[in-house]
Amino acid sequence: MKRRKLQATGGSSITLTLPKSWVNRWGLGSKDEVLVSETSTGLYIRPAVRAKRDLTLRLSLDEQTDSWIAREMIGAYIAGVDRIELVGSPISPAQNQAIRQTIQLFFGFEIIKESSQEVVARTLLDTSMLSIPDSTIGVFQMSRSMFEDALKAAQNGDKELAADITQRDYEVNKFVYAIKRRFQEVLSGKIDGNAAEAGFYRSIAGQIERIGDHAVKIAELASSDRTDPVRLSQTFPTIQEGVRLLLEDTETMLRQSDKQQAHAILDRNQELEQLIFSSKRMKQSYEGAIIEDSIDRLRGYLMNIAERMIDYQVSRQITG
């Protein structure tokens, strides 16, 4: 890191020189534009010309597993890639199926070219109108409903409801990936936006993704072949009601960007944490232990969201 001095150039103007190596790397010259974003800690400068470039990633699939393919494609999508070229000699039917299933997780992406040795997918829709705040609130509503329904499915052995929860998790992931992609696009200057706001909602989306994962974990208990009902502690109904209210209040906090509500949520943490801890010590079924562990994880994720809300609102007050 190098220090640079601000220089006065006129009555009220202050200028800052940019490192020559950075300017050359991006091919910038006199009168070229850069994008400047303000954060709570300073300014972020990036070349405006970057927004004009289509980003392409080419992946060789030879000897790669289906899981590897999915992870690489998701990483490329989140990074803001516009075109993904997948090549193999040849591409196996299983790999082709993995490609198609993964593409369905990407808003606006379609396969535009396909052969036995190459599949090309690119974005065909402008997703810049996707509202990060609205999408985050919407996906939280989905994950909240999933978690509440997962508890019902596990306790009642409802396999149909459990299967529906698994399908909804697919949609949650789709929105979460889109939110993460928007953050990268704003950060790189590919689209206009507030980097601090996008970063805040990206962090929230990460917590929501984990909530959905635990909802699926609980729902999977309904698919087991057990004959006995799930044995839960006597205090579990109180815990379940506390979680329901906590999810409801967290959604309200996100919708209203309410810092005081975030404080109120955090103030309830110790009581719920102790209740869950005491319940875990009681004798119960293996399935019951899984449910209460996931509920404890959920509690932690909701507290993380509340903490991030406070951090974000305080940073806005400082920069505002």
Side-chain angles (χ1 to χ4, degrees), residues 38 40 80 124 280 291:
E38 183 177 354
S40 60
L124 300 177
K280 284 182 176 180
I291 290 174

Side-chain angles (χ1 to χ4, degrees), residues 265-281:
I265 288 170
L266 288 165
D267 287 341
R268 289 152 57 188
N269 180 51
Q270 186 175 3
E271 180 182 357
L272 182 58
E273 185 178 25
Q274 289 178 346
L275 191 61
I276 295 172
F277 177 75
S278 297
S279 181
K280 284 182 176 180
R281 299 177 66 181

Side-chain angles (χ1 to χ4, degrees), residues 95-144:
Q95 289 177 329
N96 190 285
Q97 181 66 16
I99 292 170
R100 290 184 172 278
Q101 290 179 344
T102 306
I103 287 294
Q104 292 176 21
L105 285 167
F106 304 160
F107 277 109
F109 259 76
E110 298 289 344
I111 294 175
I112 61 171
K113 181 181 178 181
E114 184 174 8
S115 69
S116 62
Q117 295 186 327
E118 182 180 35
V119 176
V120 178
R122 69 163 293 119
T123 179
L124 300 177
L125 299 176
D126 180 11
T127 59
S128 62
M129 299 304 292
L130 180 72
S131 168
I132 296 181
D134 290 347
S135 296
T136 305
I137 293 168
V139 78
F140 184 86
Q141 289 177 317
M142 293 170 64
S143 66
R144 170 189 168 187

Side-chain angles (χ1 to χ4, degrees), residues 153 158-169 219-220 222-223:
D158 191 333
K159 295 184 178 182
E160 290 187 3
L161 181 57
D164 182 62
I165 290 167
T166 300
Q167 184 59 39
R168 278 186 271 169
D169 186 53
E220 287 174 347
S223 301

